[in-house]
Amino acid sequence: MVSSMPPPPPPPARPRAEGSPERRRVAVGCGVGAVIETYDFIGFGTAAALYFGDVFFPGSEPLAALLLSFATLGIGFAARPLGGIIAGHLGDRIGRKPVLVGSLLIMGVATVLIGCLPTYQMVGLWAPVLLVIVRVVQGLAFGAEWGGAILMTFEHAPWRKRGLYTGITQAGFPVGLLLSNLAFLVSTRTLDGSWAWRVPFLLSAVLIAVGIAIRLKIDESPEFEELKESGQVARNPLLEVVREDWRNVVRAFCLRTTETAGYAVSVTFVLSYLDDGTAPDVPGTVSLTALVTAAALGILATTGWGALSDRVGRRPVYLLGSAVTLLWGVPMFLLVGTGSAVLVLLTFVVSYCVCQNALAGVQGAWFSELFATKTRTAGTSLAYQLSAVVSGFTPMIATALYSATGWAGPAVLFSAYGLLGLLATLTTRETWGPADRAQAGRAASGTPATVAASAGTGGG
């Protein structure tokens, strides 16, 4: 008798040992998009530290103007979780690619508008209001970016090189940081008046056009396509991941906070600390040059840390980066306080290439491996972008601490973020241990082996 029952659905997507045929193009394409989005978003942070206090809040005392400028910076970070939630839901429901293209387009429009905004002298209070509105739009777009870009790369990548490939995409962020600060460094030296901060934002229009053209040619994630064919796409990814996997959301949030909030102290706040004349004999161009140098080195550092995690596991690399962050707070401010250009350069290199890059280089693979495929975008985006609320207001908190305690307050704050990362790392499971690496090696060499669900496909 022939059964009328439908055949069972195919099993959920498993990682391919060799990756998809276009794995390299996807990694580079997602990295290019990350370059552009970071150029736009981080450029705002540089402008906030160097220009926006005077341009949009001129009636305030210098310290109050800086606080208001950083508050506007923080509003964009506060909007990022909403962008991440929306993008996470859509990424797990309709696919990763549409989110990538949409986020880049929205970010581009918002950034160009910043370059066109009127100043306080032109329209009064409407100037900071318009700045806040555009910054919120930037935050929504940037919140949507990371999950889509990283997961597209992760799900196209070879099984045993997912740290390297997601590290390539993550390296788009130091490239964006490099280009953004190069633009401000050049404009500061060559342009006068408002053009010094407007031109870097207006130039992003060219980058946006290139980025969208590249992303439109990228194919959808093969793991998502298989999940869709099997009929196992989550109906409500956000609700499901919060209900069933909230512990990993909390862990990833803490891990991410160490990296991004640490950056907010060691780069965003330190830039303003050097610019306000507190550190002796440090011209503004010295700090920007140091940051540009660190960003250039960070391109290789981020990829290198990701590749190292493929060889030794995710936790050891994160432990190292968190431990250095914990110990670096006081030495960081002592070194920049000397006023030596060489020591300022050294400080930015250690702060960025070790404290930040060692963590960022691992996050793409580790966070993706913590969550199941059907809720991966929602889980990673939620954890990643919730941490942005903390990091977004960290420069303002650091400035308030500095006004009350001097540099000791921001130094302790930076070390506290390192301690948070250390504790979070110790309580988060290793997703790429010796057994996973050995199994991936057997799969790559063609040795028969059962593909374990725990290797790169997430779990509780």
Side-chain angles (χ1 to χ4, degrees):
M1 180 177 178
V2 180
S3 173
S4 61
M5 294 291 291
R14 301 299 191 199
R16 295 175 174 82
E18 72 282 2
S20 76
E22 59 172 23
R23 54 192 179 274
R24 293 184 182 88
R25 182 155 61 93
V26 170
V28 173
C30 289
V32 168
V35 168
I36 298 165
E37 298 248 9
T38 305
Y39 175 95
D40 294 345
F41 200 77
I42 296 299
F44 192 102
T46 302
L50 300 180
Y51 297 106
F52 285 173
D54 295 329
V55 172
F56 292 97
F57 309 99
S60 307
E61 293 295 324
L63 183 59
L66 182 62
L67 282 169
L68 290 170
S69 181
F70 279 153
T72 307
L73 172 69
I75 288 170
F77 280 86
R80 283 171 59 173
L82 179 58
I85 289 170
I86 295 172
H89 177 81
L90 295 176
D92 286 328
R93 287 288 299 162
I94 66 174
R96 323 307 196 202
K97 180 178 176 178
V99 173
L100 283 178
V101 176
S103 66
L104 188 58
L105 181 60
I106 294 171
M107 174 65 84
V109 172
T111 303
V112 172
L113 285 177
I114 290 176
C116 301
L117 286 179
T119 66
Y120 187 92
Q121 291 181 340
M122 296 177 180
V123 296
L125 289 175
W126 277 108
V129 169
L130 292 172
L131 180 67
V132 168
I133 292 173
V134 177
R135 180 60 176 172
V136 168
V137 175
Q138 262 200 331
L140 292 172
F142 199 74
E145 161 67 21
W146 186 85
I150 286 295
L151 295 186
M152 279 285 281
T153 303
F154 177 85
E155 292 173 352
H156 276 275
W159 189 4
R160 61 177 179 171
K161 293 183 179 180
R162 283 178 158 174
L164 169 63
Y165 275 74
T166 55
I168 292 172
T169 297
Q170 286 284 69
F173 293 93
V175 175
L177 176 66
L178 171 64
L179 293 179
S180 175
N181 285 286
L182 273 176
F184 276 98
L185 183 61
V186 172
S187 67
T188 299
R189 290 181 170 180
T190 60
L191 299 174
D192 296 324
S194 64
W195 289 112
W197 63 265
R198 291 186 188 277
V199 167
F201 291 111
L202 296 174
L203 285 176
S204 70
V206 179
L207 298 176
I208 295 297
V210 174
I212 290 178
I214 293 175
R215 286 195 167 178
L216 286 173
K217 297 179 181 179
I218 294 176
D219 289 340
E220 180 59 87
S221 157
E223 289 191 27
F224 178 80
E225 293 286 11
E226 291 175 14
L227 195 70
K228 186 168 62 175
E229 290 175 6
S230 70
Q232 298 186 42
V233 173
R235 297 185 62 182
N236 193 327
L238 178 64
L239 179 62
E240 192 169 324
V241 78
V242 170
R243 184 178 60 237
E244 300 177 2
D245 213 6
W246 64 268
R247 292 178 180 85
N248 277 330
V249 173
V250 173
R251 293 180 185 118
F253 163 80
C254 294
L255 292 168
R256 164 68 174 163
T257 296
T258 297
E259 177 255 312
T260 187
Y263 173 91
V265 176
S266 63
V267 175
T268 305
F269 173 77
V270 168
L271 274 176
S272 65
Y273 174 73
L274 294 174
D275 184 62
D276 70 4
T278 303
D281 303 322
V282 181
T285 54
V286 169
S287 56
L288 277 177
T289 301
L291 181 54
V292 165
T293 304
L297 295 174
I299 298 168
L300 296 177
T302 303
T303 306
W305 289 117
L308 180 62
S309 77
D310 286 330
R311 298 178 63 86
V312 302
R314 316 303 183 202
R315 289 180 71 188
V317 179
Y318 225 92
L319 281 172
L320 175 62
S322 298
V324 174
T325 301
L326 172 63
L327 299 173
W328 183 239
V330 171
M332 174 173 64
F333 280 93
L334 289 176
L335 288 173
V336 298
T338 64
S340 166
V342 173
L343 293 181
V344 169
L345 172 62
L346 175 65
T347 301
F348 274 98
V349 168
V350 174
S351 297
Y352 191 65
C353 296
V354 180
C355 298
Q356 199 271 348
N357 293 162
L359 308 183
V362 180
Q363 287 171 3
W366 200 9
F367 291 5
S368 299
E369 290 164 352
L370 286 173
F371 297 95
T373 305
K374 64 178 180 177
T375 57
R376 185 173 286 153
T377 311
T380 56
S381 295
L382 180 63
Y384 196 86
Q385 301 305 343
L386 279 176
S387 68
V389 178
V390 180
S391 60
F393 289 99
T394 289
M396 186 175 64
I397 296 170
T399 302
L401 287 173
Y402 170 70
S403 68
T405 66
W407 62 261
V412 172
L413 179 64
F414 182 78
S415 293
Y417 287 136
L419 178 61
L420 175 66
L422 205 62
L423 296 174
T425 303
L426 293 173
T427 56
T428 303
R429 68 183 176 90
E430 174 63 84
T431 57
W432 195 241
D436 301 304
R437 300 196 297 271
Q439 188 175 28
R442 290 194 297 270
S445 64
T447 304
T450 302
V451 179
S454 62
T457 58

